[in-house]
Amino acid sequence: MKAQRVEMFVCPSATPADTSGLQKLADAGKITADTLVALVGKTEGTGAHDDWGRVWADVALREWTARLLGVPVDEVARHVIFVLSGGCPGVITPHIAAVPREWVDVPDGSGGGEKRPVVGRAGPAAIAPEEVGRMGQIHKVAEATRQAMKDAGLTEPRDVHLVMVKVPGLTTGSIKDAESRGKTVVSHDLTFGPEGAGAYANDAAALGVAMALGEVPEASLSDGVVRRNWDLYSEVAMTSSGGEKRHGEVVIFGNSSASRSSLTIGHAVTRDFIDAQGVRNALRAAGLRFKDGLPDEADLQRLVHVFAKSVIPGSDQVRGERITLLDDPDAYQIGKALGGMLVASVTGRTTNYVSGGERNSHQGPPGGNIVAAVVRVG
Amino acid sequence: MKAQRVEMFVCPSATPADTSGLQKLADAGKITADTLVALVGKTEGTGAHDDWGRVWADVALREWTARLLGVPVDEVARHVIFVLSGGCPGVITPHIAAVPREWVDVPDGSGGGEKRPVVGRAGPAAIAPEEVGRMGQIHKVAEATRQAMKDAGLTEPRDVHLVMVKVPGLTTGSIKDAESRGKTVVSHDLTFGPEGAGAYANDAAALGVAMALGEVPEASLSDGVVRRNWDLYSEVAMTSSGGEKRHGEVVIFGNSSASRSSLTIGHAVTRDFIDAQGVRNALRAAGLRFKDGLPDEADLQRLVHVFAKSVIPGSDQVRGERITLLDDPDAYQIGKALGGMLVASVTGRTTNYVSGGERNSHQGPPGGNIVAAVVRVG
Amino acid sequence: MKAQRVEMFVCPSATPADTSGLQKLADAGKITADTLVALVGKTEGTGAHDDWGRVWADVALREWTARLLGVPVDEVARHVIFVLSGGCPGVITPHIAAVPREWVDVPDGSGGGEKRPVVGRAGPAAIAPEEVGRMGQIHKVAEATRQAMKDAGLTEPRDVHLVMVKVPGLTTGSIKDAESRGKTVVSHDLTFGPEGAGAYANDAAALGVAMALGEVPEASLSDGVVRRNWDLYSEVAMTSSGGEKRHGEVVIFGNSSASRSSLTIGHAVTRDFIDAQGVRNALRAAGLRFKDGLPDEADLQRLVHVFAKSVIPGSDQVRGERITLLDDPDAYQIGKALGGMLVASVTGRTTNYVSGGERNSHQGPPGGNIVAAVVRVG
Amino acid sequence: MKAQRVEMFVCPSATPADTSGLQKLADAGKITADTLVALVGKTEGTGAHDDWGRVWADVALREWTARLLGVPVDEVARHVIFVLSGGCPGVITPHIAAVPREWVDVPDGSGGGEKRPVVGRAGPAAIAPEEVGRMGQIHKVAEATRQAMKDAGLTEPRDVHLVMVKVPGLTTGSIKDAESRGKTVVSHDLTFGPEGAGAYANDAAALGVAMALGEVPEASLSDGVVRRNWDLYSEVAMTSSGGEKRHGEVVIFGNSSASRSSLTIGHAVTRDFIDAQGVRNALRAAGLRFKDGLPDEADLQRLVHVFAKSVIPGSDQVRGERITLLDDPDAYQIGKALGGMLVASVTGRTTNYVSGGERNSHQGPPGGNIVAAVVRVG
């Protein structure tokens, strides 16, 4: 019987194109062409859609990975999933987390021990422009989520702690394509604004995950609820969309008793934008030891990584008091920075994955956000 | 014998010109022409130097106060100190804190109980343009600090928990004035940038407080240490400067056993930009009850207000990890927002006074910031 | 027989609340309670929707006007139309233009001379939330435009050179109101983004003007063409919307042989974002003398004012070359600044009314913008 | 006898790393390893100092050039001068201009015809941190300017129309280095703000050019005049500085009767920020035909390129009217965009080199800017 041994290594980046940390991991044999399944990172730059820091990082990381794998650059995507989130405002250290997955032989029936991380992937699955932000996309992401669970060897939704999804958005070109075939699209706004195609794409992806995991009953879903009914949400879906993409991809992190990993993973949600307790709960869920209500300083060295969303709230009220964030032209940038601070003030480090950029989302409860944590065992 | 009874009332502001909260306090007799000594607030707007939200708030609050006091608008400054800090990015609720001080008769020799807040003021003291950011200003602020301590009835520096100082900066006009008299000025840069006159003015003011309170030995001070030797700093000085001003003013908050206030005040510093423990220490110092390492939720209703600086660090490292904040064109805005989050994530509320805008400062230790808290008794 | 004598006085503003220029006009009898019909201005500040510079200006100007008129502040809107456009980035001098209209006795049948400016107003007309951005609003603005033409004594659409329209946008509250009555609204996006309610409101208003003036055949109009068919547009409509408004207002400037004004007005459009010739054409249309292809410097002193839109293009191409404006997070701010430069580089002065903020619009041709100019006679 | 044949090819860039236009030139033999002397371009991105668009462009262009030249990447700088100016706000098309220089045999004494462009280079010359922004740097840039004139075969300063200079700025490291040797530095402010080391470096470089060309008498120069006496300036120097650099480089464009180029070059200055006439004068100086006071549309196809600075004015007045640009947090970005519009509105195209970023400069007269134009002959 084969069992997974999943690892996660976090490399700070000195520049967007810095691959020296990855190279050291490769040199040490910690990641190989056979084991590398995902690169997840925060890249410095504007965080806006013409963020050349992110684009450069993507180019440089793909070139590096192509060399590692010995394949052409345009085939890298078939082997390794890239999730690069642009923008490190405030106290978010630019970094890349490499996720290798090894298959080790274990005696049959040797499972049943403590649950440890496994990773699964699915995709690419084609999504048509007219499906973006609608039930078509929801169904396809749900299906990919189920496949990724299978790839991970996960059967129970409650064992899933983080689902990263990348889906197509819309572009002028893909809208023309759809309309030339007599189809409509969810929005002509190509931004991530409240009625933007990017936001609809992200949110339909989140609902797809929620449907697959049973967080939301299928019967409650329809085109009309996307970005309308905020009571429908996933507690584990972190999604992103790119206009240029035509396919969806999913990478899933869960816990399985069949895993031989030396890590644990857990998640929680914040209930509002200033809820440090939600972050602490994620660390607790991942097995970190606490002392006097706070993470035990000595145990924090076991913390491998934190993944958090920082969607800004749709309301101008936090615990009954007015804030002006929604009126701020830099709301998304500042919202992302605030999420970084909320996590860093709890973990005591700045190397956290915090992505943001939307206002309201089906990723996490209304006003709150998703936090997942990975902790090393022993 | 007369003893002080100091109060503090925090009114959220619906707009920059909103005086309705103050009016309710006046209608209820909680602040009067005889008792109001200071208005300290955060105003919404850009937080930049042409922040019309702050300017409009200043105009509207002075007009309101002139009516309360029955004096012309331009005499208000002689009776009430205004400290309005512009910019509420992120999770900082716009608000005005009104500070009334009443003198009550107490039996002679009745002091000696628990120490409670007193308030003292000094100024206006003229400061010449050539003194700005230099020893001349340091001496004058030190003298004003001593006077304000006297006005407060404070004799021990360790009883001082917050010193708010407003001093002149430089303008094209005041530089011309100085140079026409054969004097030099500290900088021709009128900004709050690292070599800006505004930053020098703020920092010499902080060193003036530090000198008066013995936090820094007088012998260690010279023109050359201002914005150079960061090991010299105050743990209680929050300073601001305005080019248009020609005088310095000081308002001081301390604890005295002669006070009859129903409040307590305390302070602490953060050791770096993500140090939530520093914020918690300030709440502890002010007497808030803790439970399991965190402020007791039930006791948090006794928290009246928090005053915090959010000076951005001069280094690109936080606990050994690189951040990109210093490269961010919006660094001051984001730095202020981050300070607001650090405080709000601990206090569980967004109505906190958090001011920022400089890079490095003699206000607080290198990389860290000052936090003071006021708690209601009983 | 009564004839109009319209004037226009442009007062630079030292601060948003500066009414000193207006007061001088009032002291000199140039504007009176009986004659003032409109205040049109550019206010300094962020130009974003929480622009406290604009809000403060609005408050201060209404208070001043109420005193001039001897009416309560909330009745000012019934007598004087305010068009305040926020944001003076770049080379746009903050200013207020006062428009007084006098009725003078002239002998019957004395018209027929040169056409000179007249002004007409209409409104307020109630517009329901479900009508915003749709045919309902188009019809109401068309009707108000016809009324304003009548009020101005204009019968020929070709004599109309500038129509300023203010209409309601949408708010969370007004959307709830509409939906509670079983109605839908044009967008849930409250911004001025490409699918924002503010943009739809502005554009339906422009189409209303275009319909009334016959610039667009009524048969070509439907809900579906708003912000879709850019070939439908007005060459004279400058429109703005405010969420808080519930009524539409129109002020129209045209030329009439019945006028006794000492001004002339004309307009033109730019064909793209860098088309200085379009600005020159507007000056020519208003009667300014040219020399060697450029406005005659000596004659430029007769130029009273220029009104221009600076809607940013929907394409990333200008004359076949790519620009990155659409990718810029500050696109609207920069687009407004660029419009200000285009006009100032032609007029040789910075006191021009230039308003912007949308991407694509039915105000002016695709990629181009509207420019109107007022010139003094003699 | 050898004569220069200088060419200039402008390639729009689809992305920062787009070298396809250069590759086409190389494939067509228009630029070769032997002829390429300079790449001058505008790169899209933030235009701030952590502009990853510019950095990525620099990396990609150097790699491409190394391949063209057949040398290691770190030797490229010895053969080809790179001047990449970051930020294309507004209507500035990202592009790279390639400058090849060929040496052709001509009969001795065959000069004396019409003057045509020549190019000369000098550097790298080491500049110590303590020299930056001071007389040390001025002298070294003056010397390099003289060498570049010699390399170009230019003897008369009036034949010089454009001098592009790159010099070191300061860094934390280079300041430490200087101070450890008992030296002082011009500023501890590492920005391009009014007292920033970057601005001092740029401006001392401009004065170095001005000294070499006799635009400014050597006797009038001292450390104290840099960024103080704005009456001292060059009309042809465009300078930039980078903290990481340790050497200065100069590339000079002038006219010589010995040249066999099919181009002409000329320059002029704008007298203030809205002076389109200054831009027209530069086109005229370069030999473009005018018609009715404007560039002849038919002749505009001969325009090869325009180089312009857009330094923002130090005053808040333009032709006696107040502007708010200096108060704008985005002043440099907007100022650059405005310069782009001023040029584009005259040239009728957006592919212009417009660099900005400082407030006040010795590059061009107070309030005005330098414009140089290159026109193809025949």
Side-chain angles (χ1 to χ4, degrees):
Chain A
M1 183 183 141
K2 291 282 186 186
Q4 290 195 22
R5 179 176 291 157
V6 174
E7 258 297 352
M8 185 174 292
F9 302 105
V10 179
C11 308
S13 312
T15 68
D18 179 14
T19 55
S20 62
L22 294 176
Q23 189 57 50
K24 272 184 206 159
L25 292 173
D27 292 346
K30 295 191 172 174
I31 56 179
T32 69
D34 292 332
T35 61
L36 185 63
V37 293
L39 292 176
V40 180
K42 289 295 305 177
T43 57
E44 62 191 301
T46 62
H49 89 268
D50 65 331
D51 178 347
W52 297 114
R54 186 180 52 73
V55 175
W56 188 25
D58 190 82
V59 168
L61 287 170
R62 276 181 208 279
E63 283 175 0
W64 181 88
T65 307
R67 282 195 299 274
L68 178 75
L69 269 55
V71 302
V73 167
D74 57 8
E75 283 182 23
V76 166
R78 286 166 40 194
H79 302 275
V80 177
I81 289 186
F82 282 64
V83 179
L84 298 182
S85 165
C88 294
V91 289
I92 302 173
T93 293
H95 68 271
I96 301 292
V99 183
R101 174 176 72 170
E102 216 178 334
W103 291 95
V104 293
D105 285 304
V106 294
D108 282 1
S110 70
E114 233 175 307
K115 287 186 176 178
R116 294 287 165 77
V118 287
V119 169
R121 294 181 309 176
I127 297 178
E130 60 268 30
E131 292 178 318
V132 168
R134 293 172 168 167
M135 285 307 296
Q137 188 193 345
I138 292 175
H139 279 296
K140 287 194 173 164
V141 171
E143 178 52 30
T145 302
R146 283 182 214 110
Q147 284 173 20
M149 282 182 69
K150 199 169 169 188
D151 182 49
L154 290 165
T155 51
E156 288 298 318
R158 68 169 175 270
D159 285 330
V160 175
H161 293 286
L162 178 59
V163 186
M164 291 184 137
V165 187
K166 290 171 67 184
V167 288
L170 290 175
T171 61
T172 311
S174 67
I175 291 177
K176 263 189 208 156
D177 164 34
E179 295 184 341
S180 74
R181 291 182 283 104
K183 308 292 186 184
T184 63
V185 293
V186 71
S187 174
H188 282 77
D189 177 352
L190 302 184
T191 73
F192 287 84
E195 293 292 318
Y200 275 97
N202 287 357
D203 274 330
L207 290 175
V209 174
M211 188 175 107
L213 299 182
E215 297 177 282
V216 158
E218 186 170 346
S220 67
L221 292 171
S222 68
D223 286 357
V225 303
V226 184
R227 293 196 62 73
R228 289 290 177 278
N229 182 351
W230 303 114
D231 293 332
L232 307 174
Y233 58 87
S234 169
E235 295 200 349
V236 292
M238 296 191 184
T239 65
S240 62
S241 57
E244 75 292 353
K245 294 177 68 69
R246 287 288 173 276
H247 298 84
E249 293 168 306
V250 171
V251 57
I252 211 166
F253 295 83
N255 276 331
S256 161
S257 52
S259 166
R260 288 297 172 272
S261 304
S262 304
L263 304 171
T264 55
I265 185 168
H267 79 274
V269 294
T270 58
R271 66 183 171 107
D272 60 30
F273 216 55
I274 62 172
D275 181 23
Q277 192 63 25
V279 180
R280 287 189 286 262
N281 288 342
L283 302 193
R284 266 198 199 93
L288 202 76
R289 200 164 53 236
F290 272 57
K291 194 170 145 183
D292 282 347
L294 296 169
D296 183 348
E297 292 255 341
D299 208 39
L300 269 171
Q301 66 189 12
R302 291 201 303 124
L303 181 63
V304 174
H305 211 29
V306 171
F307 299 86
K309 286 293 298 185
S310 191
V311 171
I312 65 175
S315 152
D316 69 347
Q317 304 277 325
V318 173
R319 302 194 192 177
E321 291 162 337
R322 183 175 71 100
I323 60 170
T324 62
L325 183 61
L326 294 185
D327 293 330
D328 201 312
D330 297 319
Y332 298 114
Q333 179 85 340
I334 287 179
K336 203 183 291 180
L338 293 180
M341 177 57 102
L342 192 70
V343 175
S345 73
V346 172
T347 64
R349 71 178 66 170
T350 56
T351 312
N352 307 298
Y353 176 95
V354 181
S355 92
E358 305 100 334
R359 169 177 165 178
N360 265 341
S361 173
H362 299 292
Q363 303 169 65
N369 277 290
I370 302 170
V371 187
V374 176
V375 170
R376 189 166 302 282
V377 174
Chain B
M1 184 184 140
K2 292 282 188 187
Q4 289 194 24
R5 179 177 291 159
V6 173
E7 258 298 351
M8 185 174 292
F9 302 105
V10 179
C11 309
S13 311
T15 68
D18 179 14
T19 55
S20 62
L22 295 176
Q23 190 58 49
K24 272 184 205 159
L25 292 173
D27 292 345
K30 294 189 173 176
I31 56 177
T32 70
D34 291 333
T35 60
L36 186 64
V37 294
L39 292 176
V40 181
K42 290 294 305 175
T43 57
E44 62 191 299
T46 63
H49 89 271
D50 65 331
D51 179 346
W52 297 114
R54 187 181 51 72
V55 175
W56 187 25
D58 190 82
V59 167
L61 287 171
R62 275 181 208 280
E63 283 175 359
W64 181 87
T65 308
R67 281 196 299 275
L68 177 76
L69 269 55
V71 302
V73 167
D74 57 8
E75 282 182 23
V76 166
R78 286 164 44 194
H79 302 276
V80 177
I81 289 185
F82 281 64
V83 179
L84 298 183
S85 166
C88 294
V91 288
I92 302 173
T93 294
H95 68 270
I96 302 293
V99 183
R101 173 175 73 170
E102 213 178 333
W103 292 95
V104 293
D105 284 304
V106 293
D108 282 2
S110 71
E114 232 176 306
K115 286 187 176 178
R116 294 286 164 75
V118 288
V119 169
R121 294 182 310 176
I127 296 177
E130 59 268 31
E131 293 177 319
V132 168
R134 293 169 168 170
M135 285 308 295
Q137 188 194 345
I138 292 175
H139 281 296
K140 286 194 174 164
V141 170
E143 177 52 29
T145 302
R146 286 182 211 107
Q147 285 173 20
M149 283 182 68
K150 198 169 168 186
D151 181 49
L154 290 165
T155 51
E156 289 298 321
R158 69 168 175 270
D159 286 330
V160 176
H161 294 285
L162 178 61
V163 186
M164 291 185 136
V165 186
K166 290 172 64 184
V167 289
L170 290 175
T171 61
T172 311
S174 69
I175 291 176
K176 264 188 205 156
D177 164 36
E179 295 184 341
S180 73
R181 289 180 286 105
K183 309 294 188 182
T184 63
V185 292
V186 72
S187 173
H188 282 77
D189 177 351
L190 302 184
T191 72
F192 286 84
E195 293 291 318
Y200 275 98
N202 286 359
D203 273 330
L207 290 174
V209 172
M211 186 176 110
L213 299 182
E215 296 177 281
V216 158
E218 186 169 347
S220 67
L221 291 171
S222 68
D223 287 357
V225 303
V226 184
R227 295 196 61 74
R228 288 291 178 276
N229 182 348
W230 301 114
D231 293 331
L232 308 173
Y233 59 86
S234 170
E235 295 199 350
V236 292
M238 295 190 184
T239 66
S240 61
S241 56
E244 74 295 350
K245 293 179 66 72
R246 286 289 173 276
H247 298 85
E249 293 168 307
V250 171
V251 58
I252 210 166
F253 295 83
N255 277 332
S256 163
S257 53
S259 166
R260 287 298 172 271
S261 304
S262 304
L263 305 169
T264 56
I265 186 169
H267 79 275
V269 294
T270 57
R271 68 186 170 103
D272 61 29
F273 216 55
I274 62 171
D275 180 22
Q277 192 64 23
V279 179
R280 288 189 285 262
N281 287 343
L283 302 193
R284 265 197 200 91
L288 202 75
R289 201 164 52 236
F290 273 57
K291 197 170 142 181
D292 281 346
L294 296 169
D296 182 347
E297 291 256 341
D299 210 39
L300 269 171
Q301 66 189 12
R302 291 200 303 124
L303 181 63
V304 174
H305 211 29
V306 170
F307 299 86
K309 285 295 296 185
S310 191
V311 170
I312 65 175
S315 153
D316 68 347
Q317 303 277 325
V318 172
R319 302 192 193 178
E321 291 162 336
R322 183 175 71 102
I323 59 169
T324 62
L325 184 60
L326 294 184
D327 293 330
D328 200 312
D330 296 318
Y332 299 114
Q333 180 84 342
I334 287 179
K336 202 183 291 180
L338 292 180
M341 177 57 101
L342 192 68
V343 176
S345 74
V346 172
T347 65
R349 70 177 69 169
T350 56
T351 312
N352 306 297
Y353 176 96
V354 180
S355 92
E358 305 99 336
R359 170 177 164 176
N360 266 340
S361 173
H362 300 292
Q363 304 169 64
N369 277 292
I370 303 170
V371 187
V374 177
V375 169
R376 190 166 299 284
V377 175
Chain C
M1 182 183 141
K2 291 283 188 187
Q4 289 195 23
R5 180 176 289 157
V6 173
E7 259 296 353
M8 187 175 290
F9 302 106
V10 178
C11 308
S13 312
T15 68
D18 179 13
T19 55
S20 62
L22 295 176
Q23 189 58 49
K24 274 183 204 159
L25 292 172
D27 292 346
K30 294 189 173 175
I31 56 177
T32 69
D34 292 332
T35 60
L36 186 63
V37 293
L39 292 176
V40 181
K42 289 294 306 175
T43 57
E44 63 191 302
T46 61
H49 89 269
D50 65 332
D51 178 346
W52 297 114
R54 187 181 51 73
V55 175
W56 189 24
D58 190 82
V59 167
L61 287 170
R62 276 180 207 280
E63 283 175 359
W64 181 87
T65 307
R67 282 195 299 274
L68 177 76
L69 269 55
V71 303
V73 167
D74 56 10
E75 282 181 23
V76 166
R78 286 166 41 193
H79 302 276
V80 178
I81 288 185
F82 282 65
V83 179
L84 298 181
S85 165
C88 293
V91 289
I92 301 173
T93 295
H95 69 270
I96 301 293
V99 183
R101 174 175 73 168
E102 216 178 331
W103 291 95
V104 294
D105 284 304
V106 293
D108 282 2
S110 69
E114 234 176 303
K115 286 186 176 177
R116 295 287 165 72
V118 287
V119 169
R121 296 181 307 177
I127 296 178
E130 59 268 31
E131 293 178 318
V132 168
R134 294 170 168 170
M135 285 307 295
Q137 189 193 344
I138 291 176
H139 280 295
K140 287 194 174 165
V141 171
E143 177 53 29
T145 302
R146 284 183 212 110
Q147 284 173 21
M149 281 182 70
K150 198 170 170 185
D151 182 48
L154 290 165
T155 51
E156 289 299 318
R158 69 170 174 268
D159 285 331
V160 176
H161 293 285
L162 179 59
V163 186
M164 291 185 134
V165 186
K166 291 172 65 184
V167 289
L170 291 175
T171 60
T172 311
S174 67
I175 291 176
K176 262 188 207 156
D177 164 35
E179 296 184 340
S180 74
R181 289 181 286 103
K183 308 292 185 183
T184 64
V185 293
V186 70
S187 173
H188 282 76
D189 177 352
L190 302 185
T191 74
F192 286 84
E195 295 291 318
Y200 274 97
N202 286 358
D203 274 330
L207 290 175
V209 173
M211 187 175 109
L213 299 181
E215 297 176 281
V216 158
E218 186 169 347
S220 67
L221 292 171
S222 67
D223 286 358
V225 302
V226 185
R227 294 195 62 73
R228 289 291 178 276
N229 183 350
W230 301 114
D231 294 331
L232 308 174
Y233 58 87
S234 171
E235 294 200 350
V236 292
M238 295 191 183
T239 65
S240 61
S241 57
E244 74 295 351
K245 294 178 67 68
R246 286 289 174 275
H247 297 84
E249 291 168 308
V250 171
V251 57
I252 211 166
F253 295 83
N255 276 332
S256 162
S257 52
S259 167
R260 288 298 173 272
S261 303
S262 304
L263 304 169
T264 55
I265 186 168
H267 79 275
V269 294
T270 56
R271 67 184 171 108
D272 61 28
F273 216 55
I274 63 172
D275 181 22
Q277 192 63 24
V279 180
R280 288 191 285 263
N281 288 343
L283 301 192
R284 265 197 199 93
L288 202 76
R289 203 163 50 235
F290 272 58
K291 199 171 142 181
D292 283 347
L294 296 169
D296 183 347
E297 292 255 342
D299 210 41
L300 269 171
Q301 65 188 13
R302 292 200 302 123
L303 181 63
V304 174
H305 212 28
V306 170
F307 299 85
K309 285 295 296 187
S310 193
V311 171
I312 65 175
S315 153
D316 68 348
Q317 303 277 324
V318 173
R319 302 192 193 179
E321 291 162 336
R322 183 175 71 101
I323 59 169
T324 61
L325 183 61
L326 294 184
D327 293 330
D328 201 311
D330 295 320
Y332 298 113
Q333 179 85 340
I334 286 180
K336 203 183 291 180
L338 292 180
M341 177 57 101
L342 192 70
V343 175
S345 74
V346 171
T347 65
R349 71 179 65 170
T350 55
T351 313
N352 307 297
Y353 176 95
V354 181
S355 93
E358 306 98 337
R359 170 177 166 177
N360 266 341
S361 173
H362 299 292
Q363 305 169 64
N369 277 292
I370 302 170
V371 188
V374 177
V375 170
R376 188 166 302 282
V377 174
Chain D
M1 181 184 142
K2 292 281 187 189
Q4 288 195 25
R5 180 176 289 158
V6 174
E7 258 298 351
M8 185 174 292
F9 302 105
V10 178
C11 309
S13 313
T15 68
D18 179 14
T19 55
S20 62
L22 295 176
Q23 190 57 48
K24 274 183 205 161
L25 292 173
D27 292 346
K30 295 190 172 173
I31 56 179
T32 69
D34 291 332
T35 60
L36 185 63
V37 294
L39 292 176
V40 181
K42 289 294 307 175
T43 57
E44 63 193 300
T46 62
H49 90 271
D50 64 331
D51 179 347
W52 297 113
R54 187 180 53 71
V55 175
W56 188 25
D58 190 82
V59 167
L61 288 170
R62 276 181 207 280
E63 283 175 1
W64 181 87
T65 306
R67 282 195 300 273
L68 178 75
L69 270 55
V71 302
V73 167
D74 57 8
E75 282 181 25
V76 167
R78 286 166 41 193
H79 302 276
V80 178
I81 289 187
F82 282 64
V83 179
L84 298 182
S85 166
C88 294
V91 289
I92 302 173
T93 294
H95 69 271
I96 301 294
V99 183
R101 175 176 72 169
E102 215 178 333
W103 291 96
V104 293
D105 285 303
V106 295
D108 280 3
S110 69
E114 232 175 307
K115 288 186 174 176
R116 295 286 165 76
V118 288
V119 169
R121 296 180 308 176
I127 297 178
E130 59 269 31
E131 293 177 318
V132 169
R134 293 168 169 170
M135 285 308 295
Q137 188 194 344
I138 291 174
H139 280 296
K140 287 194 173 164
V141 171
E143 178 52 28
T145 302
R146 285 184 212 106
Q147 285 173 21
M149 282 182 69
K150 199 169 170 186
D151 181 48
L154 289 166
T155 52
E156 290 298 320
R158 68 168 175 271
D159 285 330
V160 176
H161 293 285
L162 179 59
V163 186
M164 291 186 135
V165 187
K166 291 172 66 184
V167 289
L170 291 174
T171 60
T172 311
S174 68
I175 292 177
K176 261 188 209 159
D177 163 36
E179 295 184 342
S180 74
R181 289 179 287 104
K183 309 292 186 184
T184 64
V185 292
V186 70
S187 175
H188 282 77
D189 177 352
L190 302 184
T191 73
F192 286 83
E195 294 291 318
Y200 274 98
N202 286 358
D203 273 330
L207 290 174
V209 173
M211 188 175 108
L213 299 182
E215 297 177 281
V216 157
E218 185 168 348
S220 67
L221 291 171
S222 67
D223 287 358
V225 303
V226 185
R227 293 196 62 74
R228 289 290 178 278
N229 183 350
W230 302 114
D231 294 332
L232 308 173
Y233 58 88
S234 170
E235 294 199 350
V236 292
M238 295 190 186
T239 65
S240 62
S241 56
E244 75 294 351
K245 294 179 64 71
R246 285 288 173 275
H247 298 84
E249 293 167 307
V250 171
V251 59
I252 210 165
F253 296 83
N255 276 332
S256 162
S257 51
S259 165
R260 287 298 173 271
S261 303
S262 305
L263 304 170
T264 56
I265 185 168
H267 80 274
V269 293
T270 57
R271 66 184 171 104
D272 61 28
F273 215 55
I274 62 172
D275 181 21
Q277 192 63 25
V279 180
R280 287 189 286 262
N281 288 343
L283 301 194
R284 264 198 200 91
L288 202 75
R289 201 163 54 235
F290 272 58
K291 196 169 142 182
D292 282 347
L294 297 169
D296 182 349
E297 291 256 342
D299 210 40
L300 269 171
Q301 66 189 13
R302 292 200 301 125
L303 181 63
V304 174
H305 211 28
V306 171
F307 299 86
K309 285 294 296 186
S310 191
V311 171
I312 65 175
S315 154
D316 68 348
Q317 304 277 324
V318 173
R319 303 195 192 174
E321 292 163 336
R322 182 174 72 100
I323 59 169
T324 61
L325 184 60
L326 294 183
D327 294 330
D328 201 312
D330 296 319
Y332 298 114
Q333 179 85 341
I334 287 179
K336 201 182 291 178
L338 292 180
M341 176 57 101
L342 192 69
V343 175
S345 74
V346 172
T347 64
R349 70 178 68 170
T350 55
T351 313
N352 307 296
Y353 176 95
V354 180
S355 93
E358 307 99 336
R359 170 178 165 175
N360 265 341
S361 172
H362 299 293
Q363 303 169 64
N369 277 292
I370 302 170
V371 187
V374 177
V375 169
R376 188 166 303 281
V377 174

